[in-house]
Amino acid sequence: MEIYLDNSATTKVFGDVSEICVKVMTEDYGNASSMHHKGVVAEKYLKDAADKIAKTLKAKPKEILFTSGGTESDNIAIIGGAKAHHREGKHLITTCIEHPAVLNSMKYLEEQGFEVTYLPVTEEGIIDTDELSSAIREDTILVSIMAVNNEIGSLMPIAEAGRIIHSANPRILFHVDAVQGYGKLNLNPKQLGIDLMSVSGHKIHGPKGIGFLYIKDGIRIVPITYGGGQQGGMRSGTLNIPGIAGLGRAAEESYAGFADKIDKLYILKERLIKGLTEELSDIRINGIDTSDRHISALSDEELSEVIRKTAPHIISVSVKGVRAEVLLHALEDKEIYVSAGSACSSNHPQVSGTLKAICLPKELYDSTVRISMSEFTTDKEIDETVKAFKEIVPMLREFSRR
Amino acid sequence: MQYHAFIIKYAEIGIKGKNRYLFEEALVKQMERVLEKCEGEFSIFRVSGRIYLNAKGFDFDETVAALQRVFGITGICPAVCIERDENGKLPDINGLSAEVIKFLDGVYTDKNKTFKIKCRRVDKTYPLDSMEAAAEIGAQVLDAFPEMKVDVRDPQILVSVEIREKVNIYSEIIPGPGGMPIGTSGKACLLLSGGIDSPVAGYMIAKRGAEIEAVYFNAPPYTSERAKQKVIDLAKVIAKYTGKVRLHIINFTDIQMYIYKQCPHDELTIIMRRYMMRIADMIAAQNKCMGLITGESIGQVASQTMESLMATNEVVTDMPVYRPLIAFDKQDIVDISLKIDAYETSILPYEDCCTIFVAKHPVTKPRLEVIRSHEHRLDEKIDELVKTALDTDEILELEV
């Protein structure tokens, strides 16, 4: 039985999604910019997808800009936002545990003369909102904070951040990288004070190579690519209608029966965390175990409460004395697919910024795996996974590097 | 310039005696192998100690690159061919000179060079002899390009004009890889890891005409599928030069774990390498190989000191162990790795089984009797484990 628990890397597309993509590619393959009937049909898919997505956000369809995915959305929001407002100031704020698509956009802007403040995070992987308040300056023009951390599943206080930012200065652009959050959280940008929000299709059972950027009506940013002027000139290039149609369908389906799905995921997450901590010694559930809070000391209710303050689908486990890559391959042998918390190898040590930022003990950097679930994950898969850990970990610990 | 043929030069084969035809046949066969994958129509002729490759509708760069992967070739000369007319006549000396002038004009944009015309009249019915023809063509070239100068001792451009069944005109010699054609030396078994050295070692022995059988020791879950794929890709790099390479993938995990449990940790690598040599030795014998090939180089790492080499060499039965890199510095090895296009793959950062449990301070001067006595701690199960490893050998036939 194949158990796919790497859904934060990518997901299987919904059946409906592949169906509509194929239909658009083989039958309704027109260019949405064409004047004739084929173009009109293609444009309908575009409008329909924007409608569906807007509905999930309680936003307007014209606030949706289609892009190639999370990275491009982050780039347009941050670089396009900073370039549009550089006359008002050159200061930006982000956190030190963002995705490289955000961090490297910031780095690029630093080279262009902007100044960036990187907010630290607690051991739980969240920012301290007081630090955000004191980081905001008169020349701050943009703040970018992720909704859900991709490595440990911590939930950032987005609503509070939105309030703080806009009460300090309503002109500051608030960008949220919601690549790991969309489909798992109720995100209403207007309520949350979000001006720009990045989403990727393939993390929500949609196709790869498609995503969108929510741009609040009235927010001014400048394009970063130039061409034929599609999507109001904000992002030129022939529209990827098969991907867009698939994304629309995936968005709609992700939010169908939402509350139940999320509740089920939390129950699974709890089951997994309890299973692992009961069966194995010397492990740490990142974002939940901290230096002064241990799962073993929590009552069931307390644990449940703590877990519900994190994302429902991501679990980061550090297993002392076991190399993550080896654990990953041993699980792979049982057809269980997870990811290594930190891409590390003997030749190219590359420590994850997130694990460092949450003050994970050094010896655990290379012993961390990420388990990420989807709505298709079952009780049985979780039990099998716990069983596999119980079998594999003691064996691997016996053969550690001496 | 539109060339019609390549004249293939070979060096060492030329000095073979009665066996020479065998070497030439092998060379032709290898040329046919690489050209099969190239666009165009090719025909190969062996004429009095040289090989002609006629080509039509081909891509010049692709064809040359393919020929540069054929061991045995020392030079590739792109040539223009002048055919006889319908009466079976070759152009007269004025016609011939015009062709040479056209050739020079096409190949060299800058004419400010010294040159020499070298003529070989094989067809003795041609009215001028070699010397006369060369002198006459040279004179007409000088008339056509006054900026060119004759230098018969050390010309910048040496134009060869061969008057045979056709006339061949060529001036450039593109270097080939040298060596001996594959199939003229037998087969050897390469211990292939994911590193920089072993593919280079395999290449060097193959260059002497040997076919390659390769062995890789895999250690899942400690090594990944990508590490295995990397070795497959490296075997394919070698196969570009040699044709089909058979790669044996041996699951080494249980043996390695058993050594880890039973033997001192600082001797793990050396004992492990002794078992790799033993297993490679058996695979070589089963597959009619006449030697083992390793990428070892004296002193490069702890397991390649002279003491360590003695320790790993000791377990090989009567196979010679070829270590073509034994006296090479790392940079020299890297240079060859780059040249044969293996480097990019070799440096991909996946762990191989030699690095996973390596001790912080492995022995650098292992004493044979100590190693032997520690190895006895494996007596109970090791034969069984080796047998299982050999029985579960995964064999891939790799071709490009």
Side-chain angles (χ1 to χ4, degrees), chain B residues 1 98-116 140-151 155-157 159 171:
Chain B
M1 173 58 60
E99 292 290 353
V100 172
I101 288 162
K102 206 167 93 189
F103 173 86
L104 283 170
D105 206 27
V107 181
Y108 303 96
T109 40
D110 176 15
K111 305 287 184 318
N112 209 345
K113 291 213 161 81
T114 60
F115 79 102
K116 173 185 175 178
Q140 295 205 20
V141 168
L142 279 173
D143 286 345
F145 307 118
E147 63 271 48
M148 292 188 83
K149 287 191 184 62
V150 173
D151 181 346
Q156 286 168 309
I157 303 170
V159 187
S171 65

Side-chain angles (χ1 to χ4, degrees), chain B residues 257-273:
Chain B
M257 295 298 106
Y258 190 52
I259 299 170
Y260 181 89
K261 264 193 202 161
Q262 303 289 322
C263 300
H265 189 48
D266 58 354
E267 289 168 13
L268 172 71
T269 307
I270 209 82
I271 294 175
M272 206 174 82
R273 288 178 78 98

Side-chain angles (χ1 to χ4, degrees), chain B residues 283-333:
Chain B
I283 290 174
Q286 281 164 15
N287 292 281
K288 301 193 174 66
C289 294
M290 291 186 273
L292 299 179
I293 309 168
T294 75
E296 289 157 315
S297 159
I298 296 174
Q300 197 189 81
V301 286
S303 60
Q304 296 178 25
T305 61
M306 290 179 85
E307 289 87 349
S308 299
L309 286 165
M310 265 180 84
T312 43
N313 197 64
E314 182 195 38
V315 299
V316 180
T317 55
D318 40 16
M319 288 275 164
V321 179
Y322 296 112
R323 296 181 176 89
L325 309 181
I326 200 70
F328 275 45
D329 293 348
K330 193 73 187 186
Q331 189 56 49
D332 303 332
I333 302 170

